[in-house]
Amino acid sequence: MSNPKHTLFWMTFFLAIVAVVGVLIHQPLITAFMANWVFNLLILCVLIVGIGLTYRQVFVLFPELRWISQFRTGQSGLSVLEEPRLLKPLARQLGEDSKRDRFTLSTMSLRTVLDGIHSRMDEQREITRYFINLLVFLGLLGTFWGLLGTINAVGAVITNLDMGQGDLSKVFADLQAGLLTPLQGMGTAFSSSLFGLGGSLILGFLDIQAGHAQNRFYDGLEEWLTGVTNLLDPFNSNERQR
């Protein structure tokens, strides 16, 4: 089976590139972050949690691989002390055979085991996909919140505008000064979308890499179990021998 360490390398390498780019443009990023720091901080926390979940999807494969390697060594008297998580359907299907380090599966048992393992992997990936969508949602929510404040500020400027003054130049000067802050806020309100969409892209790439590691693990597991599967049902084979 393929080693998930390669996936961890590419995930870490990608995050290192993102960190370097962030350092190079740190000044505009800080300015954009402080424009709506409440939502941006929440987006950053969600991103960190999502990154941890994607790494967990890869790290959880290592004990499963160690559990499988104990069967593939072929050493007699080797016992499995710790029950795996992803491969729990396989461990339950083997029963006492796992303690004797030898087993065979029927085709129906093989399909049941593989379906159970595949569903467990899908459950893990669904959580990460939810965090990706959550980042986009928080980015849009922060933007709409900022735009709402901008609209209220523009309405207040228009309401306080005194058109009864004889000097039109002073009226336009007051209007310009009053609209300056709302217009600046309108530009910086989109910072939440910037961080939200950027975070979803980062987490999406990591989720793809974690998914590739899980797919390679599943393919290797399927090939291994196929090699120890009885293609003929034992009952039918006994009937033929009679």
Side-chain angles (χ1 to χ4, degrees):
M1 296 184 181
S2 60
N3 195 338
K5 291 182 179 180
H6 297 89
T7 301
L8 291 177
F9 170 78
W10 288 113
M11 292 171 63
T12 306
F13 181 73
F14 174 76
L15 289 179
I17 294 178
V18 173
V20 170
V21 174
V23 171
L24 294 177
I25 59 174
H26 69 280
Q27 193 61 41
L29 284 179
I30 293 176
T31 303
F33 182 86
M34 296 305 298
N36 199 351
W37 66 271
V38 176
F39 281 94
N40 293 335
L41 180 61
L42 181 60
I43 291 172
L44 183 60
C45 293
V46 172
L47 177 60
I48 294 175
V49 174
I51 292 175
L53 290 176
T54 55
Y55 269 88
R56 181 181 177 274
Q57 292 181 15
V58 181
F59 279 117
V60 78
L61 298 178
F62 287 98
E64 312 298 319
L65 290 174
R66 287 194 298 267
W67 191 86
I68 292 175
S69 64
Q70 293 180 340
F71 288 100
R72 304 188 71 175
T73 53
Q75 299 177 6
S76 60
L78 186 64
S79 60
V80 180
L81 301 179
E82 183 178 357
E83 190 177 41
R85 294 183 179 180
L86 288 177
L87 300 179
K88 184 175 291 186
L90 176 61
R92 296 292 176 84
Q93 187 71 31
L94 297 180
E96 294 297 326
D97 289 339
S98 61
K99 299 180 180 180
R100 296 193 294 267
D101 309 319
R102 55 184 178 82
F103 65 96
T104 56
L105 293 175
S106 63
T107 53
M108 183 176 297
S109 299
L110 173 64
R111 181 47 51 193
T112 302
V113 167
L114 291 179
D115 289 343
I117 296 173
H118 192 270
S119 63
R120 288 173 181 269
M121 291 183 177
D122 287 341
E123 289 177 0
Q124 290 185 352
R125 297 200 64 185
E126 285 177 358
I127 298 176
T128 308
R129 291 167 184 169
Y130 172 79
F131 272 81
I132 295 174
N133 296 328
L134 181 60
L135 287 173
V136 177
F137 170 77
L138 290 176
L140 294 177
L141 183 62
T143 299
F144 292 147
W145 185 273
L147 290 178
L148 181 62
T150 301
I151 293 174
N152 293 332
V154 172
V157 171
I158 295 176
T159 302
N160 297 328
L161 188 63
D162 186 9
M163 299 298 297
Q165 297 179 4
D167 191 1
L168 293 179
S169 61
K170 187 176 185 306
V171 172
F172 283 107
D174 294 339
L175 179 62
Q176 182 180 6
L179 291 178
L180 182 61
T181 301
L183 289 177
Q184 290 177 350
M186 183 180 295
T188 57
F190 291 96
S191 64
S192 297
S193 291
L194 173 65
F195 285 101
L197 294 176
S200 66
L201 291 176
I202 296 174
L203 194 58
F205 177 83
L206 298 179
D207 179 65
I208 291 175
Q209 295 299 319
H212 288 169
Q214 289 183 342
N215 291 335
R216 288 190 292 266
F217 170 79
Y218 182 83
D219 293 340
L221 177 65
E222 186 176 13
E223 293 177 1
W224 170 56
L225 292 180
T226 303
V228 295
T229 300
N230 291 327
L231 298 181
L232 296 178
D233 186 77
F235 178 78
N236 293 333
S237 62
N238 292 333
E239 290 293 333
R240 291 184 179 182
Q241 291 178 0
R242 292 179 181 177

